[in-house]
Amino acid sequence: MSLDVSPDLLAAAERGPVSDAEFIDCVRTSLPYAWEVISGVATSVDASGFADHEIPPPSEAERGQLLRALASDAIRGGLERHFGVKLAFQNCHRVGAFAPGAVDGDRYRAFISPRGQLLNQSPELRDC
């Protein structure tokens, strides 16, 4: 299971849409490592419009949290709206955060390019 959904939040979702604030709170409490990484990188975006996190997770559990957060369109989109950034992801741990104005820039295009992905590979990360 990706998220620990409280009975109250589940009941609210069964009745209709839930607010981003309720959803983000569920993500924050369910995926604390992913929240730490993403909030850290999102709040570190510099004047160039970019920040990244390149430290491998300490365990498979933390790696799983990061993968779940960034692989889910709903979670990733909620985090992007909450922090006001565009998230980009490479490997099992490299997360980039871009200010909205930097998304069309060279650095963003390089980060998400096939070349950028290939250059970010290493034997140590083969099975991540």
Side-chain angles (χ1 to χ4, degrees):
M1 180 188 308
S2 292
L3 300 175
D4 298 320
V5 181
S6 72
D8 289 342
L9 185 55
L10 181 59
E14 289 171 345
R15 288 190 302 275
V18 297
S19 71
D20 264 357
E22 292 171 299
F23 181 64
I24 289 298
D25 187 55
C26 181
V27 170
R28 181 185 56 76
T29 59
S30 299
L31 306 172
Y33 176 78
W35 178 266
E36 178 183 330
V37 168
I38 293 167
S39 64
V41 74
T43 58
S44 297
V45 172
D46 63 19
S48 74
F50 173 73
D52 70 340
H53 173 89
E54 296 186 82
I55 302 167
S59 75
E60 289 303 310
E62 283 88 359
R63 185 182 323 279
Q65 285 187 34
L66 198 55
L67 291 171
R68 285 193 298 279
L70 293 166
S72 164
D73 290 339
I75 295 173
R76 185 180 190 153
L79 291 166
E80 288 175 336
R81 288 188 302 279
H82 179 76
F83 290 110
V85 297
K86 174 69 174 163
L87 297 170
F89 187 52
Q90 291 181 342
N91 289 344
C92 57
H93 66 278
R94 187 159 187 218
V95 179
F98 294 84
V103 171
D104 289 329
D106 293 339
R107 193 168 207 175
Y108 177 76
R109 285 192 299 274
F111 192 93
I112 66 164
S113 72
R115 180 177 187 261
Q117 182 69 45
L118 293 171
L119 293 173
N120 194 43
Q121 303 304 296
S122 71
E124 300 83 34
L125 301 175
R126 181 115 181 140
D127 293 324
C128 72

